[in-house]
Amino acid sequence: MDDLSYVRKDQAETSVLFELIAERYERKSLLITANQPFSGWNDVFPDPGMTVAAIDRLVHHSTIFELNVESYRCRTASDKQKERRRQLPTDNPSGATTMIS
């Protein structure tokens, strides 16, 4: 699951998510990315009790990788935007349009 803590979930979404976590707990692997530490997940889930129970199941038997690096998506979007700017035509004083390369 990608960007789990990006948006606050409602009760129905949280219930389904908890069922998924509980079903996979100690049976199958689960990979989650989140832009918030566990301490901030109370701002994402409406039920603090379910939040604690979900985190408990996720961290038990887990390997946690905390990456404090630039976002790949942001870097890629920035690179694409810079490339588009380089390709925009510019007006030449002589009236001709040129491409920047």
Side-chain angles (χ1 to χ4, degrees), residues 47-88:
D47 181 355
M50 191 176 291
T51 303
V52 170
I55 292 171
D56 182 60
R57 284 165 176 77
L58 289 172
V59 300
H60 188 233
H61 303 303
S62 71
T63 301
I64 298 173
F65 296 95
E66 184 175 346
L67 307 174
N68 293 310
V69 297
E70 179 185 17
S71 164
Y72 172 79
R73 290 182 185 124
C74 286
R75 187 180 70 226
T76 302
S78 177
D79 291 347
K80 285 180 181 179
Q81 187 175 30
K82 287 176 189 175
E83 182 63 29
R84 281 193 294 267
R85 284 184 185 149
R86 281 193 294 244
Q87 294 176 356
L88 288 176

